[in-house]
Amino acid sequence: MYDVCQLATAMLAIAFTAVLLITGERFIEHRLQHEAMTPIVAMATLPR
């Protein structure tokens, strides 16, 4: 019974890690896309 609990805990840890990695990757991609556009907009709106 103890082995089943260890296996369940390990699977839960692996699933949690996978979800964190996927979510982190999507967040970074989303953030980089918006940061790449910000300087262009900032340069276009700067007064001369």
Side-chain angles (χ1 to χ4, degrees):
M1 191 66 175
Y2 182 70
D3 292 337
V4 174
C5 291
Q6 270 191 321
L7 180 62
T9 303
M11 290 176 64
L12 184 63
I14 291 170
F16 183 71
T17 303
V19 168
L20 283 179
L21 287 173
I22 292 168
T23 305
E25 182 181 351
R26 287 185 181 179
F27 173 75
I28 290 171
E29 287 176 0
H30 178 73
R31 187 173 175 187
L32 287 176
Q33 287 176 356
H34 286 288
E35 284 182 359
M37 291 188 300
T38 303
I40 295 170
V41 173
M43 289 185 345
T45 57
L46 286 176
R48 293 184 181 194

